[in-house]
């Protein structure tokens, strides 16, 4: 008999090695650019399809989605895909504001099934809504969301472009934090209602440029032109998005953290007559601003 002995030594977590076939063949990036329009939301649905939902409500619920992803250590690609599902669904199916968090939770459930190995369970997502929705509701609405998406449970998102861009430019090696900051800023873009119809390539381009500038990399002055050449994005449009990102980051960084209640993470209707959506921290004291954004020092 032969004894089988495993002598492989694993130290820490190793990332997959660079795939030359993917990152040296421009057809891969070209295919992303050709396909992104298929998955971009077709319209600005506020006031048309959605009569009871306003932009600030979408901002609140998408920020809640981001916080859930961060606390559950989801893969970076999960959040942008979940928001894409949310926006595409809202383009096609009118709902009430009371159903918005339910749809958001379902979109998170679907995105984890598509983009990561460990799925967020129905029970966990219900707990994040302070049990304002039931597991049965989530399972029923999962079928509704998928049907409205025409069972196209995939999309090209801003996240998908980051590595394809950074692997094709030399200046990406100037600072090891560029990739992390770019992913953080892509997530930030997906919380902004103004970018609902923005192409993912534009959001990725602007996020990378903002990350490089924020880190004061030596190539900050030329990064916009080099990235736009790869993504075929209009430099002026990218610059406008960069300025928007910088304003949001400055606003988040300058905000003073206020004491938050420790009883709920629910996004709900306010008791006031305005019916405004409000979000409060959970019992861990989780802030309302994106966690990664606070950890990154621009």
């Amino acid at each position: 008999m032969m004894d089988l002995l495993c002598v492989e030594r694993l130290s820490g977590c190793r990332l997959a090695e660079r795939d030359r076939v993917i990152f040296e063949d421009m057809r891969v990036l070209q295919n992303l650019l050709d396909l992104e329009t298929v998955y971009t939301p077709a319209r600005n649905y506020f006031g048309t399809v959605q009569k009871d939902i306003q932009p600030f409500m979408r901002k609140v619920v998408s920020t809640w989605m981001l916080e859930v992803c961060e606390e559950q250590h989801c893969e970076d690609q999960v959040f942008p895909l979940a928001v894409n599902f949310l926006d595409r669904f809202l383009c096609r199916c009118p709902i009430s504001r009371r159903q918005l968090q339910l749809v958001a939770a379902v979109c998170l459930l679907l995105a984890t099934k598509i983009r990561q190995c460990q799925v967020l369970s129905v029970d966990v997502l219900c707990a994040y809504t302070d049990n304002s929705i039931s597991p049965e509701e989530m399972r029923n609405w999962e079928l509704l969301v998928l049907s409205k998406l025409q069972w196209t449970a995939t999309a090209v998102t801003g996240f998908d472009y980051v590595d394809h861009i950074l692997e094709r430019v030399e200046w990406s090696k100037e600072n090891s934090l560029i990739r992390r900051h770019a992913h953080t800023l892509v997530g930030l873009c997906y919380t902004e209602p103004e970018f609902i119809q923005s192409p993912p390539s534009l959001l990725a381009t602007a996020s990378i440029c903002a990350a490089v500038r924020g880190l004061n990399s030596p190539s900050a002055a030329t990064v916009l032109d080099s990235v736009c050449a790869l993504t075929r994005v209009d430099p002026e449009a990218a610059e406008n998005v960069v300025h928007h990102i910088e304003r949001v980051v400055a606003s988040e960084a300058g905000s003073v953290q206020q004491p938050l209640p420790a009883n709920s993470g629910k996004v709900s209707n306010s008791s006031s007559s305005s019916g405004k959506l409000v979000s409060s921290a959970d019992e861990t004291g989780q802030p309302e601003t994106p966690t990664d954004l606070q950890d990154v020092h621009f």
Side-chain angles (χ1 to χ4, degrees), residues 126-201:
C126 288
Y128 271 104
T129 69
D130 198 25
N131 294 309
S132 62
I133 60 178
S134 67
E136 183 180 1
E137 282 181 304
M138 281 201 64
R139 294 186 181 99
N140 291 336
W141 276 71
E142 183 180 9
L143 291 176
L144 175 62
V145 171
L146 282 170
S147 66
K148 293 300 180 181
L149 295 178
Q150 299 179 329
W151 295 86
T152 307
T154 186
V156 175
T157 70
F159 171 89
D160 297 321
Y161 284 98
V162 174
D163 282 340
H164 285 285
I165 295 171
L166 295 182
E167 289 288 344
R168 289 174 167 85
V169 293
E170 287 299 322
W171 47 259
S172 65
K173 301 177 179 64
E174 293 175 354
N175 193 315
S176 60
L177 290 176
I178 290 177
R179 182 177 183 270
R180 179 191 172 193
H181 282 215
H183 283 163
T184 299
L185 295 178
V186 165
L188 183 66
C189 288
Y190 277 85
T191 67
E192 295 296 299
E194 292 84 352
F195 296 148
I196 287 175
Q197 292 185 273
S198 297
S201 55

Side-chain angles (χ1 to χ4, degrees), residues 32-284:
L32 286 175
L33 293 168
D34 291 341
L35 288 171
E36 69 175 10
T37 56
V38 176
Y39 306 108
T40 303
R43 60 175 66 90
N44 188 334
Y45 45 77
F46 299 113
T48 54
V49 179
Q50 304 300 333
K51 303 292 187 180
D52 195 36
I53 297 175
Q54 300 179 37
F56 79 88
M57 300 176 185
R58 193 267 193 189
K59 169 77 172 180
V60 170
V61 80
S62 60
T63 301
W64 172 80
M65 294 167 72
L66 178 59
E67 291 176 344
V68 172
C69 288
E70 288 174 346
E71 187 164 303
Q72 289 296 312
H73 306 291
C74 294
E75 299 288 343
D76 289 340
Q77 61 233 19
V78 168
F79 173 68
L81 182 63
V83 175
N84 178 272
F85 289 166
L86 175 68
D87 288 332
R88 283 161 55 197
F89 175 83
L90 294 178
C91 284
R92 298 184 177 186
C93 184
I95 61 173
S96 72
R97 65 183 65 185
R98 297 181 181 277
Q99 297 168 321
L100 183 58
Q101 191 174 27
L102 168 59
V103 176
V106 169
C107 290
L108 283 174
L109 175 65
L110 291 172
T112 57
K113 288 183 177 181
I114 300 299
R115 289 289 182 105
Q116 72 176 26
C117 296
Q118 186 173 359
V119 177
L120 287 181
S121 70
V122 171
D123 291 336
V124 166
L125 288 168
C126 288
Y128 271 104
T129 69
D130 198 25
N131 294 309
S132 62
I133 60 178
S134 67
E136 183 180 1
E137 282 181 304
M138 281 201 64
R139 294 186 181 99
N140 291 336
W141 276 71
E142 183 180 9
L143 291 176
L144 175 62
V145 171
L146 282 170
S147 66
K148 293 300 180 181
L149 295 178
Q150 299 179 329
W151 295 86
T152 307
T154 186
V156 175
T157 70
F159 171 89
D160 297 321
Y161 284 98
V162 174
D163 282 340
H164 285 285
I165 295 171
L166 295 182
E167 289 288 344
R168 289 174 167 85
V169 293
E170 287 299 322
W171 47 259
S172 65
K173 301 177 179 64
E174 293 175 354
N175 193 315
S176 60
L177 290 176
I178 290 177
R179 182 177 183 270
R180 179 191 172 193
H181 282 215
H183 283 163
T184 299
L185 295 178
V186 165
L188 183 66
C189 288
Y190 277 85
T191 67
E192 295 296 299
E194 292 84 352
F195 296 148
I196 287 175
Q197 292 185 273
S198 297
S201 55
L202 172 59
L203 301 183
T205 297
S207 296
I208 291 173
C209 293
V212 173
R213 293 178 185 179
L215 290 166
N216 295 317
S217 293
S219 299
T222 60
V223 63
L224 182 66
D225 291 335
S226 60
V227 177
C228 288
L230 285 171
T231 58
R232 304 199 308 252
V233 167
D234 177 30
E236 184 177 354
E239 191 68 51
N240 290 335
V241 177
V242 170
H243 291 327
H244 185 103
I245 292 173
E246 291 173 343
R247 287 194 300 270
V248 174
V249 170
S251 174
E252 297 287 358
S255 63
V256 179
Q257 290 295 325
Q258 300 293 330
L260 296 169
N263 61 342
S264 173
K266 178 183 175 183
V267 178
S268 62
N269 290 312
S270 169
S271 58
S272 66
S273 59
S274 62
K276 178 180 178 181
L277 280 174
V278 295
S279 177
S280 57
D282 64 13
E283 58 189 12
T284 65

